[in-house]
Amino acid sequence: MAVPAAQSPVKLMALQLLLWHSAFWTVHEATPLGPASSLPQSFLLKCLEQARKIQSDGTALQERLTGCLRQLHGGLFLYQGLLQALGGISPELATALDGLRLDVADFATTVWHQMEDLGVAPTLQPTQSALPTFASAFQRRAGGVLVASHLQSFLELAHRVLRYLAQP
């Protein structure tokens, strides 16, 4: 079928999308073939094997993605608590620490909502376990250096994983 030159590419894409949708809808609504089918048994068995493999691959991929999301959320939740424990590190760092804590909390919430949308979130949100207490100013500063360093490494790894998952 020739497409007139006056038709826009958007209309053509919409038409293709409509055709694909109707084709998938037809397949979705199709009734299973009965035993009197004229299709060869070997073809049916091969199709069944391929469908099982695709289903298995899809399940494995979903499990890996779910694991990535859970690890990402767990790490963010941990660092959210550690940043909370650093409260009072120094007056000049209070604003930066509060901003970082809010950013980490927002990121954790975003990941949690995505897990809920996908139906893979645990039934209850995790609770913070016992966090370190920094008794002295030196301990808070040393803890701050360690937490910031490990948070930076964690976020770099998370960025690489998310960038990998975002590839087509």
Side-chain angles (χ1 to χ4, degrees):
M1 175 172 122
V3 177
Q7 266 190 341
S8 73
V10 174
K11 288 181 182 177
L12 183 58
M13 283 191 343
L15 180 60
Q16 288 174 333
L17 183 62
L18 181 62
L19 288 173
W20 276 105
H21 176 71
S22 64
F24 284 130
W25 184 263
T26 304
V27 169
H28 177 69
E29 295 296 316
T31 56
L33 298 173
S37 170
S38 61
L39 295 173
Q41 187 69 20
S42 61
F43 170 76
L44 294 173
L45 290 174
K46 183 170 178 116
C47 289
L48 183 60
E49 178 184 327
Q50 288 176 328
R52 284 186 188 139
K53 182 182 181 325
I54 292 168
Q55 184 178 19
S56 173
D57 292 347
T59 300
L61 179 61
Q62 183 176 4
E63 288 171 1
R64 289 178 62 196
L65 292 174
T66 299
C68 286
L69 288 174
R70 285 187 177 153
Q71 287 178 352
L72 180 58
H73 182 265
L76 291 168
F77 192 72
L78 170 70
Y79 283 108
Q80 186 180 354
L82 291 171
L83 291 169
Q84 181 72 35
L86 290 174
I89 189 170
S90 74
E92 58 272 357
L93 294 177
T95 303
L97 182 63
D98 288 342
L100 184 57
R101 190 172 42 233
L102 286 173
D103 288 344
V104 169
D106 287 345
F107 192 8
T109 300
T110 300
V111 172
W112 182 264
H113 286 247
Q114 184 62 49
M115 290 169 55
E116 285 181 328
D117 290 348
L118 294 172
V120 297
T123 53
L124 297 173
Q125 284 220 23
T127 56
Q128 279 297 351
S129 57
L131 295 172
T133 55
F134 303 107
S136 71
F138 172 76
Q139 287 177 343
R140 278 191 295 280
R141 285 191 183 113
V145 169
L146 291 173
V147 168
S149 173
H150 288 282
L151 175 60
Q152 182 67 31
S153 296
F154 173 78
L155 291 174
E156 287 170 0
L157 177 63
H159 183 261
R160 283 195 308 269
V161 169
L162 291 171
R163 192 174 58 221
Y164 172 77
L165 293 175
Q167 291 177 354

mmCIF file of all heavy atoms in Angstrom, residues 62 66 69-70 73 108-126:
data_model
loop_
_atom_site.group_PDB
_atom_site.id
_atom_site.type_symbol
_atom_site.label_atom_id
_atom_site.label_comp_id
_atom_site.label_asym_id
_atom_site.label_seq_id
_atom_site.Cartn_x
_atom_site.Cartn_y
_atom_site.Cartn_z
ATOM 1 N N GLN A 62 12.776 -10.194 35.601
ATOM 2 C CA GLN A 62 11.989 -9.479 36.610
ATOM 3 C C GLN A 62 12.569 -9.696 38.005
ATOM 4 O O GLN A 62 12.641 -8.759 38.801
ATOM 5 C CB GLN A 62 10.531 -9.913 36.574
ATOM 6 C CG GLN A 62 9.672 -9.129 37.553
ATOM 7 C CD GLN A 62 8.215 -9.479 37.457
ATOM 8 O OE1 GLN A 62 7.812 -10.357 36.712
ATOM 9 N NE2 GLN A 62 7.401 -8.792 38.226
ATOM 10 N N THR A 66 13.933 -6.727 40.305
ATOM 11 C CA THR A 66 13.365 -6.580 41.644
ATOM 12 C C THR A 66 14.483 -6.576 42.677
ATOM 13 O O THR A 66 14.475 -5.754 43.606
ATOM 14 C CB THR A 66 12.370 -7.730 41.931
ATOM 15 O OG1 THR A 66 11.304 -7.660 40.980
ATOM 16 C CG2 THR A 66 11.811 -7.643 43.327
ATOM 17 N N LEU A 69 16.236 -3.205 42.608
ATOM 18 C CA LEU A 69 15.446 -2.162 43.260
ATOM 19 C C LEU A 69 15.461 -2.313 44.780
ATOM 20 O O LEU A 69 15.572 -1.326 45.503
ATOM 21 C CB LEU A 69 14.006 -2.182 42.740
ATOM 22 C CG LEU A 69 13.801 -1.673 41.321
ATOM 23 C CD1 LEU A 69 12.359 -1.873 40.876
ATOM 24 C CD2 LEU A 69 14.204 -0.214 41.200
ATOM 25 N N ARG A 70 15.361 -3.542 45.253
ATOM 26 C CA ARG A 70 15.372 -3.756 46.709
ATOM 27 C C ARG A 70 16.718 -3.378 47.311
ATOM 28 O O ARG A 70 16.783 -2.778 48.386
ATOM 29 C CB ARG A 70 15.024 -5.204 47.034
ATOM 30 C CG ARG A 70 13.551 -5.487 46.848
ATOM 31 C CD ARG A 70 13.165 -6.857 47.312
ATOM 32 N NE ARG A 70 11.733 -7.025 47.169
ATOM 33 C CZ ARG A 70 11.139 -8.172 46.996
ATOM 34 N NH1 ARG A 70 11.854 -9.279 46.957
ATOM 35 N NH2 ARG A 70 9.836 -8.236 46.866
ATOM 36 N N HIS A 73 16.968 0.454 47.282
ATOM 37 C CA HIS A 73 16.161 1.049 48.345
ATOM 38 C C HIS A 73 16.777 0.771 49.710
ATOM 39 O O HIS A 73 16.847 1.670 50.560
ATOM 40 C CB HIS A 73 14.720 0.527 48.300
ATOM 41 C CG HIS A 73 13.863 1.160 49.344
ATOM 42 N ND1 HIS A 73 13.646 0.574 50.570
ATOM 43 C CD2 HIS A 73 13.214 2.346 49.366
ATOM 44 C CE1 HIS A 73 12.881 1.354 51.293
ATOM 45 N NE2 HIS A 73 12.605 2.443 50.587
ATOM 46 N N ALA A 108 14.990 7.397 47.943
ATOM 47 C CA ALA A 108 14.480 6.143 48.511
ATOM 48 C C ALA A 108 12.965 6.042 48.321
ATOM 49 O O ALA A 108 12.438 4.971 47.986
ATOM 50 C CB ALA A 108 14.842 6.041 49.986
ATOM 51 N N THR A 109 12.268 7.141 48.502
ATOM 52 C CA THR A 109 10.812 7.149 48.325
ATOM 53 C C THR A 109 10.438 6.891 46.873
ATOM 54 O O THR A 109 9.502 6.133 46.587
ATOM 55 C CB THR A 109 10.226 8.499 48.798
ATOM 56 O OG1 THR A 109 10.546 8.669 50.184
ATOM 57 C CG2 THR A 109 8.720 8.561 48.615
ATOM 58 N N THR A 110 11.181 7.490 45.952
ATOM 59 C CA THR A 110 10.927 7.262 44.525
ATOM 60 C C THR A 110 11.097 5.790 44.165
ATOM 61 O O THR A 110 10.264 5.208 43.462
ATOM 62 C CB THR A 110 11.871 8.134 43.678
ATOM 63 O OG1 THR A 110 11.635 9.506 43.978
ATOM 64 C CG2 THR A 110 11.669 7.890 42.187
ATOM 65 N N VAL A 111 12.159 5.186 44.660
ATOM 66 C CA VAL A 111 12.401 3.758 44.384
ATOM 67 C C VAL A 111 11.289 2.919 45.008
ATOM 68 O O VAL A 111 10.769 1.991 44.384
ATOM 69 C CB VAL A 111 13.794 3.326 44.895
ATOM 70 C CG1 VAL A 111 13.970 1.819 44.791
ATOM 71 C CG2 VAL A 111 14.890 4.046 44.124
ATOM 72 N N TRP A 112 10.885 3.254 46.225
ATOM 73 C CA TRP A 112 9.816 2.508 46.906
ATOM 74 C C TRP A 112 8.514 2.595 46.111
ATOM 75 O O TRP A 112 7.832 1.588 45.917
ATOM 76 C CB TRP A 112 9.614 3.033 48.331
ATOM 77 C CG TRP A 112 8.562 2.262 49.059
ATOM 78 C CD1 TRP A 112 7.245 2.580 49.202
ATOM 79 C CD2 TRP A 112 8.728 1.004 49.709
ATOM 80 N NE1 TRP A 112 6.594 1.610 49.907
ATOM 81 C CE2 TRP A 112 7.475 0.629 50.231
ATOM 82 C CE3 TRP A 112 9.818 0.167 49.901
ATOM 83 C CZ2 TRP A 112 7.294 -0.549 50.940
ATOM 84 C CZ3 TRP A 112 9.619 -1.013 50.612
ATOM 85 C CH2 TRP A 112 8.374 -1.354 51.122
ATOM 86 N N HIS A 113 8.176 3.789 45.637
ATOM 87 C CA HIS A 113 6.940 3.943 44.856
ATOM 88 C C HIS A 113 7.004 3.130 43.572
ATOM 89 O O HIS A 113 5.994 2.542 43.158
ATOM 90 C CB HIS A 113 6.681 5.418 44.548
ATOM 91 C CG HIS A 113 6.195 6.191 45.729
ATOM 92 N ND1 HIS A 113 4.945 6.723 45.834
ATOM 93 C CD2 HIS A 113 6.814 6.512 46.886
ATOM 94 C CE1 HIS A 113 4.797 7.332 46.986
ATOM 95 N NE2 HIS A 113 5.939 7.222 47.645
ATOM 96 N N GLN A 114 8.177 3.080 42.943
ATOM 97 C CA GLN A 114 8.315 2.266 41.729
ATOM 98 C C GLN A 114 8.124 0.793 42.064
ATOM 99 O O GLN A 114 7.486 0.060 41.310
ATOM 100 C CB GLN A 114 9.684 2.492 41.078
ATOM 101 C CG GLN A 114 9.857 1.755 39.771
ATOM 102 C CD GLN A 114 8.857 2.198 38.717
ATOM 103 O OE1 GLN A 114 8.665 3.374 38.469
ATOM 104 N NE2 GLN A 114 8.198 1.245 38.095
ATOM 105 N N MET A 115 8.667 0.362 43.187
ATOM 106 C CA MET A 115 8.488 -1.028 43.601
ATOM 107 C C MET A 115 7.005 -1.315 43.856
ATOM 108 O O MET A 115 6.507 -2.377 43.479
ATOM 109 C CB MET A 115 9.327 -1.324 44.855
ATOM 110 C CG MET A 115 10.825 -1.347 44.588
ATOM 111 S SD MET A 115 11.866 -1.370 46.070
ATOM 112 C CE MET A 115 11.271 -2.781 46.960
ATOM 113 N N GLU A 116 6.309 -0.375 44.473
ATOM 114 C CA GLU A 116 4.866 -0.549 44.692
ATOM 115 C C GLU A 116 4.120 -0.619 43.370
ATOM 116 O O GLU A 116 3.242 -1.471 43.191
ATOM 117 C CB GLU A 116 4.318 0.600 45.541
ATOM 118 C CG GLU A 116 4.674 0.527 46.997
ATOM 119 C CD GLU A 116 4.095 1.683 47.802
ATOM 120 O OE1 GLU A 116 3.948 2.800 47.263
ATOM 121 O OE2 GLU A 116 3.807 1.451 48.985
ATOM 122 N N ASP A 117 4.478 0.280 42.435
ATOM 123 C CA ASP A 117 3.819 0.280 41.121
ATOM 124 C C ASP A 117 4.023 -1.037 40.390
ATOM 125 O O ASP A 117 3.133 -1.497 39.676
ATOM 126 C CB ASP A 117 4.336 1.430 40.252
ATOM 127 C CG ASP A 117 3.888 2.798 40.755
ATOM 128 O OD1 ASP A 117 3.006 2.864 41.638
ATOM 129 O OD2 ASP A 117 4.444 3.811 40.276
ATOM 130 N N LEU A 118 5.201 -1.629 40.561
ATOM 131 C CA LEU A 118 5.493 -2.907 39.908
ATOM 132 C C LEU A 118 4.950 -4.096 40.688
ATOM 133 O O LEU A 118 5.011 -5.226 40.212
ATOM 134 C CB LEU A 118 7.006 -3.065 39.731
ATOM 135 C CG LEU A 118 7.664 -2.083 38.771
ATOM 136 C CD1 LEU A 118 9.183 -2.218 38.839
ATOM 137 C CD2 LEU A 118 7.177 -2.299 37.346
ATOM 138 N N GLY A 119 4.459 -3.839 41.900
ATOM 139 C CA GLY A 119 3.926 -4.917 42.722
ATOM 140 C C GLY A 119 5.004 -5.785 43.359
ATOM 141 O O GLY A 119 4.754 -6.939 43.683
ATOM 142 N N VAL A 120 6.201 -5.230 43.552
ATOM 143 C CA VAL A 120 7.303 -6.016 44.113
ATOM 144 C C VAL A 120 7.781 -5.466 45.459
ATOM 145 O O VAL A 120 8.772 -5.931 45.997
ATOM 146 C CB VAL A 120 8.499 -6.107 43.134
ATOM 147 C CG1 VAL A 120 8.089 -6.844 41.862
ATOM 148 C CG2 VAL A 120 9.061 -4.735 42.802
ATOM 149 N N ALA A 121 7.075 -4.484 45.982
ATOM 150 C CA ALA A 121 7.467 -3.922 47.279
ATOM 151 C C ALA A 121 7.043 -4.876 48.390
ATOM 152 O O ALA A 121 5.977 -5.489 48.316
ATOM 153 C CB ALA A 121 6.812 -2.561 47.489
ATOM 154 N N PRO A 122 7.878 -5.015 49.413
ATOM 155 C CA PRO A 122 7.451 -5.811 50.565
ATOM 156 C C PRO A 122 6.193 -5.192 51.162
ATOM 157 O O PRO A 122 5.904 -4.009 50.970
ATOM 158 C CB PRO A 122 8.631 -5.701 51.534
ATOM 159 C CG PRO A 122 9.796 -5.280 50.703
ATOM 160 C CD PRO A 122 9.229 -4.488 49.560
ATOM 161 N N THR A 123 5.450 -5.977 51.920
ATOM 162 C CA THR A 123 4.194 -5.477 52.472
ATOM 163 C C THR A 123 4.410 -4.343 53.456
ATOM 164 O O THR A 123 3.562 -3.482 53.600
ATOM 165 C CB THR A 123 3.405 -6.613 53.158
ATOM 166 O OG1 THR A 123 4.250 -7.249 54.108
ATOM 167 C CG2 THR A 123 2.904 -7.614 52.144
ATOM 168 N N LEU A 124 5.537 -4.344 54.149
ATOM 169 C CA LEU A 124 5.843 -3.286 55.105
ATOM 170 C C LEU A 124 7.149 -2.609 54.718
ATOM 171 O O LEU A 124 8.090 -3.269 54.294
ATOM 172 C CB LEU A 124 5.988 -3.852 56.522
ATOM 173 C CG LEU A 124 4.750 -4.499 57.141
ATOM 174 C CD1 LEU A 124 5.108 -5.141 58.462
ATOM 175 C CD2 LEU A 124 3.657 -3.475 57.329
ATOM 176 N N GLN A 125 7.193 -1.294 54.913
ATOM 177 C CA GLN A 125 8.447 -0.589 54.689
ATOM 178 C C GLN A 125 9.421 -1.001 55.780
ATOM 179 O O GLN A 125 9.027 -1.286 56.902
ATOM 180 C CB GLN A 125 8.232 0.921 54.733
ATOM 181 C CG GLN A 125 7.586 1.451 53.475
ATOM 182 C CD GLN A 125 8.213 2.780 53.062
ATOM 183 O OE1 GLN A 125 9.332 3.091 53.415
ATOM 184 N NE2 GLN A 125 7.466 3.547 52.301
ATOM 185 N N PRO A 126 10.706 -1.042 55.453
ATOM 186 C CA PRO A 126 11.693 -1.431 56.472
ATOM 187 C C PRO A 126 11.769 -0.376 57.578
ATOM 188 O O PRO A 126 11.404 0.779 57.384
ATOM 189 C CB PRO A 126 13.003 -1.493 55.692
ATOM 190 C CG PRO A 126 12.776 -0.675 54.469
ATOM 191 C CD PRO A 126 11.315 -0.724 54.179
#
